[in-house]
Amino acid sequence: MSTPRFQNPLVILNPRAASGRAQDLWKSVHATVERTLGPADVRLTEAPNHATELTKEALHAGADLVIAVGGDGTFNEVVNGYLSGGLPLNPDASLAFCPAGTCSDFGRSAGIPRSPRDAVQAIANTPVRRFDACAIQVTSRNGTTNTRYFANVTSFGVGGEVSVAAKRNVLTSVNGRAAFLWATAKTLLRYRAKDICLTFDDEEPGHSLRLMQVALGNGAYHGGGMNVCPLASLDSGFMDVTVIRETGFLDFLRSIRLLYSGNILSHANCSHYRAGSVSATSSDHVLVESDGETVGRLPCTAWVLPGVLSIAGTRIRS
């Protein structure tokens, strides 16, 4: 396949990513973008979800490539601007991710180089790939339902609480992995398993189980490099679901090494499923995070949107 030639690229830069270091990283690769991709319009985000609106505006104006420069949250917002009604606003346009945030978990899942300069080179020199996305209908704070899209991982249980704690963590500006580890340990000190009922595809609803964490993986990584869904593939047409049942504080902490090593499915209290759709309900208050951002609470329903993302700059094999 020949290298794609983009005629109208747009860069969406989150200047607050990595505690403000994203702007400096962008300055270091701006010349590389101009040399390899041509002149690119640059827009800075000013508030939460601004990247979503900027993406929609760019696609309506004819952009054929939208590059998210920031962290996983920035890329998630761009994906939510790229998709409408489960389909691309412009099927001829592509997305790309230039990691410049605290974490780059989608980058790990998609094989995107961690170095922003190398990521730009990959955008220019590797073929565009078709990947799945997922939609999730989740309950908002006021009880209404809201549908969002995610490209990587959604989780609920401990993960939902950790996403809140990590945002309030002073380590976030220093090291993403350390911030998530500290937030996880702090959360586990007070967290108790929740009664959650899971339903896969068209099956009858199951019984409520005492669960610590449920991860819905389009991609494999979240939480600053935790390989929570090690069997997930971005173009499989399914979600990989990792379920961690009730376990003690010390045992859960010990299992974190299994998350980073990709061996979490070997844990005695862990189960793996694969499904096209997953619904979850609970009588408890259970927070949901998507690509690192808190998006609501249970009940929720998630489903796969096969092949709807056109992404440049990845280096993983089919």
Side-chain angles (χ1 to χ4, degrees):
M1 183 183 296
S2 61
T3 301
R5 296 181 182 275
F6 303 107
Q7 302 300 316
N8 190 16
L10 171 77
V11 171
I12 295 180
L13 168 64
N14 179 0
R16 292 169 299 282
S19 297
R21 295 192 301 274
Q23 278 191 301
D24 293 332
L25 288 171
W26 167 245
K27 291 176 184 177
S28 72
V29 299
H30 189 194
T32 304
V33 171
E34 296 283 322
R35 185 177 67 255
T36 59
L37 297 171
D41 191 12
V42 181
R43 303 290 179 87
L44 273 60
T45 62
E46 299 174 357
N49 298 312
H50 191 200
T52 296
E53 297 307 314
L54 291 175
T55 301
K56 291 178 181 178
E57 292 172 7
L59 293 172
H60 285 305
D64 60 355
L65 176 68
V66 178
I67 306 172
V69 181
D72 291 303
T74 304
F75 186 69
N76 177 272
E77 289 189 15
V78 168
V79 167
N80 276 272
Y82 181 80
L83 296 174
S84 178
L87 295 172
L89 275 176
N90 178 1
D92 295 323
S94 298
L95 301 181
F97 181 41
C98 182
T102 304
C103 299
S104 177
D105 288 309
F106 178 78
R108 291 183 178 91
S109 294
I112 295 170
R114 188 68 182 94
S115 159
R117 183 174 285 105
D118 290 345
V120 171
Q121 293 284 1
I123 293 166
N125 298 317
T126 60
V128 169
R129 291 278 306 278
R130 305 290 299 189
F131 290 127
D132 305 334
C134 297
I136 182 167
Q137 189 176 72
V138 65
T139 306
S140 64
R141 289 182 178 178
N142 63 9
T144 61
T145 57
N146 180 34
T147 299
R148 291 187 58 84
Y149 304 105
F150 65 95
N152 195 35
V153 175
T154 280
S155 73
F156 44 91
V158 169
E161 301 285 346
V162 169
S163 68
V164 175
K167 297 297 181 184
R168 302 170 180 169
N169 194 325
V170 294
L171 290 173
T172 300
S173 63
V174 180
N175 183 287
R177 176 177 289 191
F180 274 98
L181 278 172
W182 177 252
T184 300
K186 182 179 178 181
T187 300
L188 282 172
L189 283 172
R190 58 178 175 77
Y191 192 83
R192 297 295 179 267
K194 309 294 186 183
D195 288 315
I196 298 175
C197 178
L198 297 175
T199 304
F200 301 101
D201 296 324
D202 297 325
E203 296 178 358
E204 292 294 322
H207 298 292
S208 289
L209 299 173
R210 297 287 289 173
L211 303 180
M212 297 291 291
Q213 167 84 333
V214 178
L216 312 178
N218 187 47
Y221 294 90
H222 82 155
M226 294 181 181
N227 195 350
V228 67
C229 295
L231 301 181
S233 173
L234 291 166
D235 56 2
S236 68
F238 296 95
M239 282 181 289
D240 273 61
V241 185
T242 299
V243 177
I244 301 178
R245 297 182 295 280
E246 185 170 25
T247 185
F249 171 74
L250 292 178
D251 185 50
F252 198 99
L253 282 183
R254 284 193 292 266
S255 72
I256 289 177
R257 65 179 177 82
L258 299 177
L259 281 168
Y260 283 109
S261 68
N263 294 313
I264 187 59
L265 300 183
S266 67
H267 193 282
N269 285 349
C270 184
S271 300
H272 167 261
Y273 305 89
R274 183 165 284 171
S277 66
V278 180
S279 295
T281 60
S282 179
S283 58
D284 296 320
H285 184 80
V286 182
L287 291 179
V288 180
E289 66 82 21
S290 189
D291 289 346
E293 303 294 327
T294 306
V295 295
R297 59 177 174 82
L298 297 188
C300 74
T301 298
W303 61 97
V304 179
L305 303 169
V308 296
L309 297 180
S310 177
I311 300 183
T314 67
R315 290 178 174 172
I316 60 175
R317 297 186 296 272
S318 297

